[in-house]
Amino acid sequence: MSKELIVILLISPLVGFLINGLFGKWLKGQEKLSGVLGSLAVFISLTCSIIAFIKVQGGTTLEGENGILYTWISGESFTFNIGFHVDALTTVMLLVITGVGFLIHIYSIGYMHGDSGYTRYFAYLNLFVFAMLILVLGNNYVMMFVGWEGVGLCSYLLIGFWYEKQSATDAGKKAFIVNRIGDFGFLLGMFTLFAAFGSLDFGSIFETAKELQPAADGMGFVETDNFKQIFGASTLVIATLLLFVGAIGKSAQIPLYVWLPDAMEGPTPVSALIHAATMVTAGVYMIARSAVLYNLAETGVVVAWIGVLTALFAAIIALKQNDIKRILAYSTVSQLGYMFVGVGVGAYASGIFHLVTHAFFKGLMFLTAGSVMHAMANELDIRKMGGLRNKLPITHATFLVGALAIAGAPFLSGFWSKDEILHSAWGGSKAIYIIGLITAFLTAFYMFRLIFVTFYGKSRVEPEVASHLHESPAVMWLPLAILAVPSALIGLLLGVGGHDSWFHHFTEDVFPKADKAPGNVILFMVISSIVGLAGIAYAWTRYKDRVPSDEPTNALQRLVANKFYIDEIYNTFIVQPIKNISHFLLWKVFDTLIVDGIVNAVAAIIRVIGGTLRRLQTGLVQVYIVSMVIGIVLFLAYYLFFA
């Protein structure tokens, strides 16, 4: 595999960003060219990704010395390279990023039509794809971190895209700040790895880690020339947990999940691309890439428990939400939890498989939600919808496919990937399996609550909106139709056979070999199918004909409807105290008393000196002559008597 192919794959979106960003202002009246150009840039990357996938499937990878492009930073004891690591895991991520990304770019041409920031939007979208590609293509943690921060920046720009709205700018800042907390943990994890291994290259770290021998007392590993126990026996434990803090922030897990629901303030295609299909999966990818370290440190149990608790918690909150995009946002948080369960119990391929299926069906559902909003004059409250299936037949059909997939309906994509994770969880922790199964029921219920309330029953649409209801244009519904196909069938293509499926064999050289989960596979499939169908049936009995009031009737329902008041708790005990401390210490004390005090003191001294000296400037020539004479006399006296 040539590095030139990967370079073209990587820089194509960057070129699109530069052209739209620098010259887009001259496209007055021809803004659609920005959308075409942005889509073309991602299509080129998609084509290169397909070629790379074919080469990897044929046994050709790009790793180690062969992947190094050039030396970026060189010091006495370290060297950081710009280089590529392309294997099965990389190509899977590349196809998701560029494949789903290309369809979302096409969809955006129609969705963003007429927006004053049309060109700026496509510039940001291209920049995001470029940053995400850096994240997954890099052959070291430094490049991964550059891409990690790049997608964080683009997320901030795109969430707050409509910066005229206060809610959008607040959501952008919230996402940026919460992610900085996680990123600080990621940085500390990188520093720990460098201190222990003397390198941040994947190849060097993973090869050294594979050679580590357990210490005689069973605590940690024996120190070698390439590995230093800087924290005693807990070095790898600390490093992997710190990296996981970064994943918690980027992939919206407890307790740093709060930014993602608010991120729905951005354009809906942004939600589909960044907050369903790509950026939020970066944490899952990072742990999967670091599988050797997590297996040795045995910290996967922490990952799995955080994942399953997040999955359950977010699913419960989704039960009482009425904003169509927020329901999908909490669903995303919940499904990311499933992915962390997969990688946490050591079923790395299963976790990544769910990442792939989720990218398609959740991207599809966000785009169909955008189609509903397009028809409903940007209405988000599902209680003001109803009966839309006849007015929006394509949107309804494709949304139904996505909902069936995420609900785990038999033989659709989510059925295969979620079942693998649950089966693997049974082998690791029965409690995690049971919580995951309960979450699966809740997922099916709240997704079909959304379906029935939005598309079925009597219409509750305002008359002036109802008179203009129509299906989205082809440039929007065609990507929906295309995404619906893998949402339904990709599980059959890749996942049949469970842990012996094609997908597992394709990625087997990337991940440590996992023990097969105990129990009858068919039995687990039957149980998960029954649970998913029961959730759908219960939603049908509750919402097929009812006008959903869903007003809280007791304290528990109010608690769920208000998202357990987590945002309010954070605001009261974290945000406001920090603001108050900053207001007093940084403004009143440091800025006003110290900074302003020093500046004002300097000004006062200069003013006093200037006031004194200006008295010597009288403007009278005779005074100046007398001064000169006195000066000459004093000079001569000094010269004659003291020199």
Side-chain angles (χ1 to χ4, degrees):
M1 185 184 303
S2 68
K3 285 184 282 191
E4 290 77 11
L5 173 70
I6 305 304
V7 169
I8 294 171
L9 189 160
L10 178 62
I11 68 170
S12 181
L14 177 62
V15 173
F17 160 71
L18 291 174
I19 294 175
N20 273 331
L22 296 176
F23 307 110
K25 62 182 179 181
W26 288 307
L27 294 176
K28 297 297 183 182
Q30 300 293 326
E31 285 85 357
K32 274 197 174 181
L33 289 176
S34 297
V36 173
L37 175 62
S39 302
L40 178 61
V42 179
F43 179 74
I44 293 172
S45 294
L46 172 59
T47 303
C48 294
S49 299
I50 294 171
I51 296 172
F53 170 76
I54 293 171
K55 289 183 177 294
V56 169
Q57 193 176 17
T60 303
T61 60
L62 189 63
E63 302 178 29
E65 295 292 330
N66 295 329
I68 296 176
L69 199 61
Y70 65 88
T71 299
W72 179 23
I73 305 172
S74 181
E76 185 176 336
S77 60
F78 60 89
T79 299
F80 298 141
N81 297 308
I82 297 294
F84 305 124
H85 184 96
V86 183
D87 58 10
L89 175 59
T90 310
T91 55
V92 167
M93 294 299 296
L94 290 177
L95 289 175
V96 169
I97 295 165
T98 58
V100 177
F102 172 66
L103 292 174
I104 290 172
H105 274 71
I106 296 295
Y107 177 95
S108 297
I109 293 175
Y111 187 87
M112 297 299 291
H113 174 69
D115 192 283
S116 59
Y118 190 89
T119 299
R120 176 168 56 92
Y121 170 84
F122 279 97
Y124 289 168
L125 220 56
N126 274 180
L127 181 62
F128 168 80
V129 173
F130 170 70
M132 193 69 197
L133 291 175
I134 290 178
L135 193 156
V136 301
L137 282 170
N139 68 351
N140 57 74
Y141 283 101
V142 178
M143 279 192 67
M144 179 185 283
F145 186 72
V146 170
W148 193 276
E149 292 300 294
V151 295
L153 169 64
C154 295
S155 176
Y156 167 75
L157 294 173
L158 286 164
I159 294 170
F161 179 77
W162 287 314
Y163 54 82
E164 301 90 348
K165 292 170 56 181
Q166 185 64 42
S167 58
T169 56
D170 288 345
K173 288 186 289 186
K174 184 177 183 178
F176 193 80
I177 293 169
V178 172
N179 271 273
R180 295 295 70 72
I181 298 170
D183 294 350
F184 182 65
F186 190 102
L187 268 177
L188 293 178
M190 286 173 54
F191 296 155
T192 305
L193 288 178
F194 183 78
F197 291 96
S199 173
L200 288 173
D201 289 344
F202 295 150
S204 175
I205 291 177
F206 299 158
E207 288 304 314
T208 301
K210 290 176 183 177
E211 297 171 0
L212 291 178
Q213 298 297 320
D217 59 2
M219 299 290 290
F221 303 93
V222 176
E223 183 175 341
T224 68
D225 292 339
N226 297 321
F227 174 81
K228 298 178 181 178
Q229 292 182 322
I230 56 172
F231 297 110
S234 57
T235 298
L236 274 185
V237 173
I238 291 174
T240 51
L241 289 179
L242 286 170
L243 291 176
F244 181 49
V245 171
I248 287 174
K250 194 67 70 183
S251 296
Q253 298 295 284
I254 291 173
L256 301 180
Y257 72 92
V258 291
W259 67 270
L260 195 145
D262 287 357
M264 299 303 107
E265 290 289 341
T268 302
V270 170
S271 303
L273 179 63
I274 296 182
H275 308 118
T278 53
M279 187 191 95
V280 292
T281 62
V284 181
Y285 166 77
M286 183 272 292
I287 292 177
R289 178 58 74 194
S290 309
V292 173
L293 304 181
Y294 279 87
N295 270 20
L296 286 169
E298 298 182 346
T299 46
V301 62
V302 178
V303 176
W305 271 106
I306 291 292
V308 77
L309 292 177
T310 302
L312 177 62
F313 186 71
I316 292 172
I317 293 176
L319 296 174
K320 285 294 183 180
Q321 300 304 303
N322 295 307
D323 182 311
I324 187 170
K325 289 175 67 177
R326 283 187 180 269
I327 295 172
L328 296 178
Y330 281 107
S331 172
T332 297
V333 174
S334 183
Q335 295 304 305
L336 288 165
Y338 271 111
M339 297 175 208
F340 279 111
V341 170
V343 297
V345 299
Y348 297 99
S350 300
I352 295 298
F353 184 32
H354 194 55
L355 182 157
V356 173
T357 60
H358 177 265
F360 287 107
F361 61 66
K362 185 54 66 63
L364 170 63
M365 284 189 286
F366 267 114
L367 294 186
T368 49
S371 182
V372 171
M373 292 168 59
H374 179 78
M376 290 285 298
N378 290 319
E379 179 59 64
L380 291 167
D381 193 336
I382 60 174
R383 293 170 296 183
K384 298 179 181 179
M385 299 180 189
L388 296 182
R389 63 179 178 179
N390 296 323
K391 297 290 186 178
L392 310 174
I394 299 175
T395 299
H396 164 253
T398 51
F399 202 118
L400 183 60
V401 170
L404 286 168
I406 195 174
F411 310 117
L412 272 73
S413 61
F415 166 79
W416 302 99
S417 58
K418 190 185 296 184
D419 185 70
E420 277 190 24
I421 291 173
L422 290 174
H423 188 195
S424 300
W426 177 264
S429 169
K430 306 298 189 293
I432 290 177
Y433 169 79
I434 292 171
I435 295 173
L437 206 59
I438 294 170
T439 304
F441 172 82
L442 297 179
T443 302
F445 174 76
Y446 70 68
M447 284 309 307
F448 275 83
R449 169 182 177 267
L450 172 58
I451 286 281
F452 296 137
V453 172
T454 303
F455 293 100
Y456 291 79
K458 294 181 180 180
S459 175
R460 299 175 300 280
V461 181
E462 296 291 336
E464 60 271 20
V465 176
S467 62
H468 296 94
L469 278 175
H470 61 280
E471 187 60 84
S472 298
V475 73
M476 291 175 63
W477 67 253
L478 189 58
L480 303 183
I482 295 172
L483 278 171
V485 175
S487 295
L489 302 178
I490 198 169
L492 286 170
L493 296 175
L494 306 182
V496 174
H499 293 88
D500 291 319
S501 66
W502 177 91
F503 189 83
H504 279 259
H505 287 299
F506 179 62
T507 57
E508 63 184 355
D509 292 334
V510 180
F511 305 125
K513 188 172 180 60
D515 296 330
K516 288 190 176 180
N520 188 301
V521 176
I522 302 299
L523 177 61
F524 280 95
M525 293 172 66
V526 170
I527 292 173
S528 62
S529 297
I530 292 173
V531 168
L533 293 174
I536 296 173
Y538 185 49
W540 171 260
T541 60
R542 287 285 305 274
Y543 295 105
K544 66 182 177 73
D545 292 321
R546 278 180 49 185
V547 176
S549 62
D550 271 354
E551 291 299 325
T553 57
N554 55 53
L556 180 59
Q557 289 188 11
R558 283 193 295 273
L559 189 66
V560 174
N562 288 283
K563 302 164 287 187
F564 292 91
Y565 298 99
I566 298 298
D567 284 292
E568 289 79 3
I569 292 171
Y570 282 5
N571 187 64
T572 301
F573 293 102
I574 298 176
V575 177
Q576 289 304 322
I578 290 175
K579 283 185 176 181
N580 293 336
I581 292 171
S582 301
H583 184 274
F584 177 72
L585 290 181
L586 298 182
W587 178 28
K588 294 294 186 181
V589 176
F590 183 75
D591 191 26
T592 303
L593 295 182
I594 298 177
V595 176
D596 288 353
I598 292 173
V599 172
N600 293 336
V602 170
I605 292 170
I606 292 174
R607 186 166 56 249
V608 170
I609 295 173
T612 302
L613 293 177
R614 72 184 177 85
R615 298 181 183 277
L616 300 176
Q617 305 297 320
T618 64
L620 300 174
V621 175
Q622 56 268 37
V623 174
Y624 298 152
I625 294 173
V626 171
S627 299
M628 290 173 61
V629 171
I630 292 173
I632 292 171
V633 170
L634 291 175
F635 174 76
L636 290 173
Y638 174 79
Y639 181 76
L640 291 172
F641 297 105
F642 300 101

